[in-house]
Amino acid sequence: MAEVPEVEIIVRDLKQAVVGRRFVDAQVLVPAAVRFASPEDFIQNLRGRRVLAADRRAKFMLLTLDDGQTLALHFMLWGELALRPAGSERPPATLVVLTLEGNDELQFSDTLGYARVALGPASWLAAQLKLGELGPEALDDTFTPELLARLLRRRRSPLKTVLLNQRVLAGLGNRDADESLWAAGIDPRRLASSLSPAELLRLHRGIRDVLEEGLRLRGTQRDLFGVKGQALHRRNIFGKPGAPCPRCTTPVSHQRVGGRNTHWCSQCQPADGPAPDAPAQTSLL
């Protein structure tokens, strides 16, 4: 599953291997994969453009081009991006191929077919993708416990729902929200506005620990060069309904909260009580 650690790893790889190079051609194998610009215009407008920078906003990968355009890519759930020699075998689920100078190509694929690319002038594309409406990034230095408190204090929705609202906080997906709440010992069904100062500190630490460890282990998917990350998709409690909690052995609970599959430990994450004294173990291995 492509969440922020997986996307951030790809962006770092793009900075290393693609920034400074030109696109010499492109192929759109699945026209629906191009969200903005027709497939023909997408190809024409990309040819000859040099990549000046690679950045991330939430789960969007953004390549700044030398003519003022931005190329945006989004994995959705299971998209992948691979840098391979031009003409090499492509995954059956390849959607778009971007050929680079130096006889390499970027193969953009998705077994579910939901991943998307878009191309256009930077300010126009940002408006189309509503990038300006996204909240602060959970990995930025500006994301502090005080900022988290301001983001949550007037929210009368379940905490899990608020954490997944990218207009409130950009950078948490379903998996990492569950794992962060487990690390903090907080029930995901609690009202976001109900957290105490101590709980806010624990939640902030849990979010940063889960994301940063995911980065250290280079995510759960293959990176730009085809190397599999060491993080596990099914970590401590996510995707493990009924399995023993790694901290207390209580069976992991499961429920849909805000339409999203949610996992927690009823013992370690009490609905209205303190978190357990034992420190949360956030190791992803």
Side-chain angles (χ1 to χ4, degrees), residues 20-69:
R21 301 171 71 177
R22 289 187 187 275
F23 292 112
V24 298
D25 203 358
Q27 292 177 266
V28 177
L29 306 178
V30 179
V34 181
R35 184 172 176 186
F36 299 122
S38 68
E40 295 77 15
D41 288 343
F42 177 86
I43 295 169
Q44 182 63 34
N45 294 339
L46 196 61
R47 282 181 180 143
R49 302 276 60 88
R50 185 182 299 277
V51 181
L52 300 183
D55 298 289
R56 179 187 59 80
R57 187 70 172 102
K59 297 182 186 179
F60 287 100
M61 295 164 281
L62 304 170
L63 298 183
T64 301
L65 307 182
D66 61 359
D67 64 345
Q69 292 188 101

Side-chain angles (χ1 to χ4, degrees), residues 97-272:
V97 177
L98 310 172
T99 305
L100 292 159
E101 61 183 357
N103 204 37
D104 286 327
E105 63 186 30
L106 290 170
Q107 299 174 357
F108 188 60
S109 62
D110 181 8
T111 54
L112 297 180
Y114 297 147
R116 293 292 183 263
V117 299
L119 179 68
S123 58
W124 177 86
L125 190 67
Q128 293 299 310
L129 299 177
K130 300 182 179 180
L131 299 182
E133 298 180 15
L134 296 172
E137 291 282 345
L139 281 171
D140 281 358
D141 291 339
T142 55
F143 177 59
T144 63
E146 293 75 19
L147 176 56
L148 180 62
R150 292 198 297 272
L151 294 173
L152 300 185
R153 64 187 175 191
R154 295 182 179 178
R155 300 282 174 171
R156 300 289 296 174
S157 298
L159 182 56
K160 171 68 179 289
T161 301
V162 174
L163 290 177
L164 292 184
N165 184 342
Q166 299 297 296
R167 295 187 178 188
V168 177
L169 179 65
L172 270 189
N174 200 38
R175 176 196 71 205
D176 291 340
D178 279 3
E179 292 293 327
S180 298
L181 288 163
W182 180 82
I186 300 171
D187 190 308
R189 302 167 298 173
R190 292 262 305 271
L191 290 183
S193 59
S194 71
L195 270 60
S196 69
E199 289 171 327
L200 286 163
L201 284 171
R202 292 204 309 272
L203 179 57
H204 178 269
R205 183 179 63 193
I207 291 171
R208 293 302 291 260
D209 284 352
V210 166
L211 293 178
E212 289 172 1
E213 191 163 8
L215 288 174
R216 286 196 300 273
L217 296 174
R218 293 188 63 81
T220 62
Q221 299 186 170
R222 296 190 182 278
D223 64 17
L224 192 68
F225 312 108
V227 179
K228 184 77 164 59
Q230 294 181 323
L232 299 178
H233 172 55
R234 296 180 183 273
R235 298 183 177 177
N236 290 301
I237 50 113
F238 180 78
K240 296 182 176 181
C245 168
R247 189 163 44 200
C248 72
T249 74
T250 300
V252 171
S253 298
H254 170 259
Q255 180 181 318
R256 292 184 71 83
V257 176
R260 303 298 296 273
N261 286 319
T262 300
H263 306 82
W264 76 98
C265 171
S266 60
Q267 177 66 30
C268 293
Q269 298 166 261
D272 55 2

